Amino acid sequence: MKVPYSWLREYCAPDVSLQELEQLLTISGTKVEAIHAHGVGGEGANFVIGKVLSCGKHPDADRLNVTTVDVGHGEEPQQIVCGAPNVAAGQTVAVARPGAIMPDGTKLKKAKLRGVESNGMILSEDELGLAGERAGGIMVLEDELAAGTPLADVLPILDAVIEFEITPNRPDCLGVYGLAREVHAATGAPLAPPPWTEDPGTSGYVPGAHVRVEAPDLCPRFTARVFENVTIAPSPRWLKARLLAAGLRPISNVVDITNYAMLLTGHPLHAFDLDKVAGGELTVRRARDGEQVETLDGQTRTLDSEMLVIEDADGPTSIAGVMGGARSEVSDDTTRVLMEVASWVGPNIHRTSNKLGLRSEASSRFSDGLAPEQAMEAQAVATQLMIELTGATVAGGTIDAGPFATDPWPNATIRLRESKVAALLGLVIPRAKQKATLTALGFSVEDAPDGLDVTVPPFRRNDVTREADLVEEVGRFALDQLPATLPKRRGTAGRMSSEQRMRRRAVDALVGRGAYEIVGWSFTEPGVADKLRLPEGDPRRSFVALQNPMSEDHSVLRTTVLGSLLDAVRHNVARGNADLTLLESGAVYVARPEETLPHEHRSLGAVVHGRLSAPSWGDSGQPKTADFFSAKGLLAATLDTLRVQWSVRAEPQPFLHPGRSATVVAGPDDEVVGWVGELHPLVARAWELDGTVAAFEVDLDAVVAHAVAVPRYEDLTSFPPVRQDLAVIVADDVSADTVLGAVEKAGGKLLQGVRVFDVYRGEQVGEGRKSMALALTFQAPDRTLSDDDVAPVRAKVVAALSSVGGELRG
């Protein structure tokens, strides 16, 4: 929130520098994000009041005038060329001198216009950004202003502007007076009475206007006043300057009044043209599913039954708490205004704003939760300005509808014990100091036997609900006094669980093999299922939809980490980094109809793209690139590190290459724990990737359940192994895993290992067949094996190979 410093000082003017004030506010929790030294207008010292002494036509340009202007400070009058048609001798004007930085960032210099020297510029409202929608010629100011007076003293547009970062729990600080209250508490400077203390309006019946609240659970209070004889015109310069400095665009006096009152009180307002309110009656109700409203920005919004609308006899005119409708907006022809200041339930406004993708100053404030009492504060300020700036008269009293109007909410009283303050802060703060701080913040305080009885003001109702909150209020203005102590460490030492250590070990195994770990979004879009070619009924299409998504691209919880890994690959490849290995360990979520909560587990995935090593002069050929075996190698490194008993089956996945993919099983019961393979070309194309992409993903929780956390010690034998090779011919569709499984089962305890070291296809073995060369290692822990020991085991192995259709070659 941006606030002109001069506006803040109208209500609390501390005797400290702006930099000191920034430190005091920030350390007390009201963070100053930035200080803009001269608002929109640039270097304030070069903007001054001038007196036009003479004005004549330019000798070579019909539309230009040559003027001499008194700029004060005892200087010679300056010659300035001006193109405005309304410039004349005797006027008091705003002058930008050479060196001034204009709102668009241009630095003004001495210039020659059609051969005539010009030492500055006579300013229009438009050139200072004050014109809004009503641009004109130069500004003509009051004659009593002296030449040389800094323009910043006249227009706060050139004043210092403080930008605050307000946390969502402090909507009271979204108003200038709320910030002045913080300045008062931080500095002790006097606080002026609230600007709503004097209310020109009255209570009672309002002729010609009616309000009905049909959703009292979402609209606690709806207030309205009617103004007649309204004259629509530009706002005075001081008002436009303050709005512009605060980041709002001036439009007209009535609209500007609603924005000004909102900035001052923190509570949004909305002005209806009462003559455009059909039937003179407004109804607050829930919208109907599919109902549409055209808002002030010219867009048509489609609503649902959880949203609120304000309607008249012809239908909806506004989306409650978010934005007004185009049909009843104030225009140049407006003469009667209905000023609405209502209170809405914050979470509902937050949902509506996000669902529609429509964020406004009003919705931002309502979403944080405003007190119903604040509605009449804004109404009082708006009434004062409507009478003063538009010449309006108040017709009747005040409409006050909704449950709060008949049954106001009580203010909670909380006991603040001195012992609790000392215990939580580690510092004894005198009771008198506590009382002074809380009183300055707007709390009502009474002495109690062991501390204070504190009544929470309405504007802090949602934020301060317990004793600890009051301790925080007291403590944040004494942060510089808090002792620096270390917390007690007794009983606080922690360690990772066995499962956490195993997960960490799996990630470290991949990092040790050159993979880079990424952290992707847990959110994704439903369309990722189609990009992965997942069929209907696949559990990975069972997304959990978010009730309050950040965007359509992050509207559901992911069911696989493959999507975020491929997003990262695409991002890198698009920026010239095509050779990479990435891993991610994170939660995935699958909706199950029979369960209320989604099934959540931790997944571990890795993806390989491009070359596996950098090209080198020592390579005889091109470096190897990603393929099935590179992904399987990473999988093996991970599972072997965890000492998991695992294998793969040739079972395809819809998003993988049908001939280069497999399912991963683990444990003695062959539980399916994941997949490995090369990405299907159509899936790779969906992520704008060329070439082969290999990946694997496993259910890390299931893998860890099969891991050996503490390996058993086995004696190392000193007896040498016996190696024997054999070649077996099998059908081409028999996998190596099937052959090795049969050999391992038949080999018994003496067979220590078996591996494939060669595969041959050709005329010697026949079409549709292949020869696999196996290396078998036999070893005993208590003796050196002889051929007689190995022969029977070898015979069992040969017999087992026959069971899978294999025969010895040669």
Side-chain angles (χ1 to χ4, degrees):
M1 178 177 176
K2 294 180 178 179
V3 178
Y5 188 37
S6 61
W7 194 3
L8 188 62
R9 289 180 64 86
E10 282 188 9
Y11 298 101
C12 187
D15 190 19
V16 296
S17 68
L18 188 53
Q19 288 68 31
E20 291 175 309
L21 179 61
E22 173 191 3
Q23 294 176 357
L24 289 171
L25 290 175
T26 298
I27 199 173
S28 66
T30 308
K31 184 181 178 183
V32 176
E33 184 69 19
I35 295 178
H36 305 282
H38 294 289
V40 178
E43 296 294 335
N46 291 315
F47 292 87
V48 296
I49 300 297
K51 300 283 188 178
V52 181
L53 303 179
S54 65
C55 179
K57 287 294 183 182
H58 191 289
D60 297 319
D62 293 339
R63 295 186 179 182
L64 296 180
N65 298 292
V66 180
T67 67
T68 55
V69 181
D70 179 9
V71 293
H73 303 295
E75 297 185 30
E76 292 291 328
Q78 300 294 312
Q79 178 173 282
I80 299 177
V81 178
C82 179
N86 65 326
V87 65
Q91 292 175 333
T92 302
V93 294
V95 176
R97 307 189 63 186
I101 299 176
M102 303 304 293
D104 61 0
T106 303
K107 187 173 183 178
L108 199 62
K109 300 178 181 179
K110 290 184 179 181
K112 282 190 176 182
L113 299 179
R114 293 290 187 94
V116 177
E117 186 176 282
S118 180
N119 296 316
M121 177 187 293
I122 300 177
L123 299 170
S124 66
E125 290 188 348
D126 187 45
E127 286 158 341
L128 280 177
L130 294 173
E133 296 181 347
R134 293 171 167 78
I138 62 167
M139 290 189 294
V140 180
L141 304 175
E142 294 75 16
D143 289 337
E144 59 265 23
L145 296 175
T149 302
L151 192 58
D153 294 348
V154 180
L155 296 176
I157 190 69
L158 299 177
D159 183 26
V161 175
I162 308 176
E163 184 174 355
F164 293 93
E165 180 182 319
I166 307 301
T167 54
N169 65 313
R170 295 299 306 277
D172 58 298
C173 288
L174 291 173
V176 173
Y177 192 78
L179 290 169
R181 192 185 294 115
E182 289 290 309
V183 174
H184 168 56
T187 65
L191 179 67
W196 51 83
T197 302
E198 297 183 6
D199 183 2
T202 60
S203 59
Y205 175 72
V206 178
H210 304 279
V211 172
R212 185 169 66 251
V213 177
E214 294 182 352
D217 56 323
L218 299 178
C219 177
R221 192 179 197 185
F222 192 107
T223 73
R225 282 179 176 168
V226 171
F227 299 90
E228 296 181 338
N229 305 315
V230 175
T231 300
I232 302 297
S235 297
R237 293 189 190 96
W238 65 266
L239 177 54
K240 291 192 287 187
R242 283 188 170 172
L243 291 181
L244 194 61
L248 298 180
R249 181 171 57 94
I251 297 176
S252 68
N253 51 4
V254 172
V255 178
D256 293 350
I257 284 169
T258 63
N259 286 329
Y260 183 87
M262 177 187 69
L263 292 174
L264 182 55
T265 66
H267 199 294
L269 308 86
H270 181 69
F272 292 86
D273 185 329
L274 186 55
D275 292 325
K276 297 177 183 178
V277 176
E281 182 175 13
L282 295 177
T283 300
V284 179
R285 63 166 174 83
R286 281 177 165 83
R288 303 179 184 91
D289 287 330
E291 193 167 21
Q292 294 186 328
V293 177
E294 182 184 353
T295 47
L296 288 172
D297 58 0
Q299 301 294 315
T300 299
R301 314 284 178 173
T302 302
L303 313 181
D304 62 37
S305 58
E306 293 300 316
M307 302 175 184
L308 285 181
V309 296
I310 303 173
E311 71 170 1
D312 60 14
D314 290 340
T317 65
S318 304
I319 303 174
V322 180
M323 186 172 287
R327 184 161 56 85
S328 60
E329 68 176 317
V330 172
S331 65
D332 289 345
D333 300 327
T334 298
T335 59
R336 295 199 306 155
V337 169
L338 184 145
M339 188 67 69
E340 168 245 311
V341 189
S343 180
W344 313 100
V345 172
N348 178 263
I349 300 302
H350 182 73
R351 175 195 177 275
T352 300
S353 177
N354 285 352
K355 187 76 178 287
L356 297 176
L358 181 59
R359 197 75 172 165
S360 64
E361 287 286 341
S363 68
S364 298
R365 287 167 163 79
F366 284 128
S367 295
D368 292 342
L370 297 174
E373 290 88 341
Q374 293 176 267
M376 284 309 301
E377 297 172 357
Q379 194 71 263
V381 172
T383 302
Q384 297 171 22
L385 293 172
M386 287 292 292
I387 295 172
E388 177 185 346
L389 302 183
T390 72
T393 56
V394 182
T398 303
I399 296 174
D400 196 354
F404 183 87
T406 56
D407 187 17
W409 297 348
N411 296 323
T413 299
I414 303 171
R415 175 67 56 86
L416 178 61
R417 295 165 293 171
E418 287 185 273
S419 58
K420 191 68 172 180
V421 175
L424 291 182
L425 297 181
L427 174 70
V428 176
I429 297 180
R431 186 185 301 191
K433 175 62 175 176
Q434 298 178 33
K435 188 173 184 179
T437 298
L438 293 172
T439 302
L441 291 171
F443 294 83
S444 298
V445 182
E446 297 290 341
D447 288 316
D450 55 348
L452 300 170
D453 282 334
V454 183
T455 300
V456 181
F459 56 83
R460 298 298 301 277
R461 181 181 288 130
N462 295 330
D463 180 38
V464 179
T465 60
R466 54 184 182 156
E467 187 179 19
D469 297 331
L470 291 175
V471 175
E472 179 185 2
E473 293 302 303
V474 171
R476 66 189 180 95
F477 291 96
L479 291 178
D480 56 341
Q481 303 172 34
L482 296 182
T485 58
L486 292 174
K488 295 179 180 178
R489 299 187 61 187
R490 185 179 299 121
T492 61
R495 63 180 64 184
M496 290 190 295
S497 65
S498 175
E499 291 76 11
Q500 289 172 325
R501 290 197 299 272
M502 300 299 281
R503 291 199 296 263
R504 180 75 61 85
R505 192 179 299 171
V507 171
D508 289 346
L510 291 173
V511 172
R513 283 156 180 80
Y516 288 92
E517 185 174 9
I518 70 164
V519 180
W521 287 100
S522 295
F523 315 127
T524 187
E525 57 172 331
V528 74
D530 295 329
K531 292 170 69 175
L532 290 175
R533 306 175 72 246
L534 296 175
E536 293 295 333
D538 192 301
R540 287 163 295 198
R541 292 191 75 100
S542 301
F543 293 109
V544 179
L546 300 180
Q547 294 183 357
N548 184 24
M550 296 184 293
S551 66
E552 287 298 322
D553 293 338
H554 299 89
S555 59
V556 297
L557 292 174
R558 65 181 178 184
T559 58
T560 172
V561 297
L562 180 59
S564 57
L565 282 167
L566 293 177
D567 288 341
V569 173
R570 176 176 58 189
H571 182 85
N572 278 271
V573 170
R575 286 154 181 79
N577 183 26
D579 304 326
L580 70 164
T581 301
L582 303 177
L583 78 97
E584 180 174 7
S585 172
V588 297
Y589 311 83
V590 178
R592 293 181 174 178
E594 68 278 7
E595 299 179 8
T596 303
L597 296 177
H599 174 69
E600 176 184 349
H601 68 270
R602 185 169 291 272
S603 237
L604 174 66
V607 62
V608 189
H609 182 274
R611 297 173 297 196
L612 301 181
S613 61
S616 169
W617 61 269
D619 291 336
S620 58
Q622 291 295 324
K624 292 183 178 180
T625 57
D627 60 7
F628 172 86
F629 295 103
S630 59
K632 186 183 177 186
L634 291 174
L635 173 67
T638 305
L639 299 182
D640 291 346
T641 297
L642 299 181
R643 301 181 181 88
V644 174
Q645 177 186 336
W646 68 282
S647 61
V648 296
R649 298 173 181 168
E651 298 174 355
Q653 294 283 342
F655 47 84
L656 296 179
H657 192 294
R660 303 171 189 171
S661 58
T663 297
V664 183
V665 297
D669 299 327
D670 286 347
E671 178 187 0
V672 175
V673 295
W675 53 264
V676 61
E678 295 179 12
L679 216 60
H680 194 289
L682 294 178
V683 175
R685 191 178 306 165
W687 265 272
E688 303 171 6
L689 300 175
D690 296 325
T692 302
V693 183
F696 80 82
E697 182 175 349
V698 293
D699 181 338
L700 192 53
D701 293 338
V703 167
V704 168
H706 292 293
V708 178
V710 182
R712 294 175 60 87
Y713 171 77
E714 295 181 3
D715 288 333
L716 293 176
T717 178
S718 59
F719 298 99
V722 175
R723 171 174 166 170
Q724 293 190 2
D725 297 343
L726 58 86
V728 59
I729 299 174
V730 295
D732 221 1
D733 59 354
V734 176
S735 68
D737 185 63
T738 301
V739 173
L740 294 178
V743 173
E744 290 172 348
K745 186 175 181 180
K749 295 182 178 179
L750 291 184
L751 182 65
Q752 295 299 303
V754 58
R755 63 182 178 86
V756 178
F757 67 88
D758 190 27
V759 177
Y760 170 77
R761 292 180 178 87
E763 296 180 358
Q764 298 183 23
V765 297
E767 186 177 355
R769 290 157 51 109
K770 62 185 175 184
S771 172
M772 300 175 61
L774 307 178
L776 285 70
T777 302
F778 301 94
Q779 192 173 29
D782 55 352
R783 69 189 188 281
T784 299
L785 296 177
S786 65
D787 288 342
D788 293 337
D789 295 320
V790 174
V793 181
R794 178 187 173 93
K796 291 182 180 179
V797 169
V798 172
L801 290 172
S802 300
S803 68
V804 296
E807 61 181 70
L808 291 184
R809 181 183 174 190

